[in-house]
Amino acid sequence: MHWLQSTFATRFNRFRRESGHVFQGRFKAIVVETERDLANVAHYIHLNPVRAGIVSTDQLDLYPYSSYVYFRKEERASCLNPTACLAGAGELKDNSADWELYHKYLSWLAESDEEIKRLQFDDLSKGWAIGSPEFRREAARIINEATSAISTGCRTRTEAKEIGWEVLLERALVQLGRNTHDVAVDKKSADWKVAIAAHLKAHTTAKNPWLAHQLNMGDPDGVSRYVSECRSGKRKQAKMLLAKITDIRDCPKSRNII
């Protein structure tokens, strides 16, 4: 996926005589626990062009770049199995009548702010895993063991480390009563962001650019400055919050996570 995105971006920019990023971020595969969780992810992806304002749900059948089209097509690839997403919309079956019902379900879902909030659509593209705390802990353990066993493949080791960083980041967010919406809307130098950045820098090898991106803190150099101010006591509130994060009793030692 890294090669595909890089090659496409290079050729796209050359063709358009432009420069810079074409994709918002690197390819990301999220671990999902249950078929119900998988169905919610499928609904979310099917509605991507609707949320982007490219088409309405009435036109979703006609939009050729939608995952929905290729799930519904009779000639869909054998690797695509729509069972989970259909079941997640009311135990629907893979037939023409129930696909019409699924289309109506997506139309309703796109308009239902309450249901979108219940399904936590805003968080589906964040983090590294979707499921219960027990599932996430077990997945992290497996990833950690795999990371320790890897002797080659620098990119794989780096991605595995980043998953470990995301585990600690999400735990810190929960501990401080914050979420991904707060990350997006709060100011870049918010004390709670500085505290989390300081915690990650103390317990992992996470770099400033990664922290700046994950916490929406702007310039990576700013992250370094804010963390130094926190450690020195210039940011008293941030230092108090940092102590609160560090006090997580059930958090495994970082050397066992990353």
Side-chain angles (χ1 to χ4, degrees):
M1 290 303 301
H2 179 271
W3 173 87
L4 178 62
Q5 288 189 337
S6 298
T7 302
F8 181 91
T10 299
R11 295 178 182 177
F12 177 89
N13 283 335
R14 186 184 303 143
F15 179 76
R16 296 288 297 270
R17 297 183 180 179
E18 296 179 3
S19 61
H21 293 288
V22 173
F23 297 98
Q24 184 176 9
R26 69 179 179 86
F27 169 77
K28 193 170 190 177
I30 297 176
V31 184
V32 179
E33 181 177 14
T34 68
E35 286 201 351
R36 174 66 66 174
D37 295 325
L38 179 60
N40 293 341
V41 173
H43 306 332
Y44 174 89
I45 294 173
H46 292 336
L47 288 172
N48 269 341
V50 177
R51 284 197 308 278
I54 298 173
V55 296
S56 66
T57 50
D58 290 339
Q59 300 169 315
L60 201 53
D61 278 342
L62 306 175
Y63 186 62
Y65 308 109
S66 166
S67 57
Y68 174 72
V69 172
Y70 292 99
F71 260 68
R72 184 169 178 173
K73 286 173 65 174
E74 292 181 1
E75 63 270 27
R76 65 172 172 255
S78 59
C79 61
L80 294 178
N81 186 342
T83 302
C85 75
L86 288 168
E91 301 302 328
L92 302 178
K93 304 301 181 183
D94 188 15
N95 57 56
S96 58
D98 278 9
W99 272 109
E100 290 300 323
L101 292 175
Y102 183 65
H103 192 193
K104 291 180 180 179
Y105 170 78
L106 289 181
S107 297
W108 168 78
L109 182 57
E111 300 294 330
S112 176
D113 292 338
E114 183 177 343
E115 185 66 6
I116 285 174
K117 184 177 181 180
R118 188 185 73 82
L119 297 180
Q120 299 180 311
F121 267 24
D122 288 344
D123 295 327
L124 288 184
S125 62
K126 309 294 183 182
W128 64 278
I130 298 172
S132 65
E134 294 77 15
F135 168 75
R136 294 163 64 84
R137 282 196 293 270
E138 178 62 12
R141 183 190 66 77
I142 293 171
I143 290 168
N144 296 333
E145 290 180 357
T147 305
S148 300
I150 294 171
S151 58
T152 60
C154 180
R155 183 181 303 156
T156 305
R157 287 201 304 273
T158 299
E159 291 179 357
K161 281 186 177 182
E162 288 187 4
I163 290 174
W165 302 344
E166 289 181 12
V167 171
L168 288 185
L169 174 59
E170 291 181 18
R171 285 176 175 168
L173 285 170
V174 171
Q175 182 71 5
L176 297 184
R178 300 290 178 171
N179 55 41
T180 53
H181 176 73
D182 297 326
V183 171
V185 301
D186 280 10
K187 65 179 183 179
K188 295 177 173 59
S189 60
D191 285 324
W192 67 268
K193 291 186 179 183
V194 175
I196 292 177
H199 177 69
L200 267 290
K201 286 182 72 70
H203 293 278
T204 74
T205 57
K207 305 299 182 183
N208 291 334
W210 186 89
L211 292 167
H213 174 71
Q214 295 293 324
L215 289 166
N216 190 29
M217 295 181 72
D219 188 346
D221 290 338
V223 175
S224 181
R225 183 172 68 256
Y226 301 147
V227 170
S228 295
E229 291 172 353
C230 173
R231 290 171 175 168
S232 67
K234 291 182 179 179
R235 288 178 170 267
K236 294 182 179 180
Q237 183 62 26
K239 194 165 187 177
M240 289 174 60
L241 293 172
L242 174 60
K244 185 176 181 180
I245 299 171
T246 307
D247 279 341
I248 299 177
R249 301 303 181 188
D250 62 346
C251 180
K253 294 181 180 179
S254 58
R255 64 175 175 270
N256 293 329
I257 293 179
I258 309 161

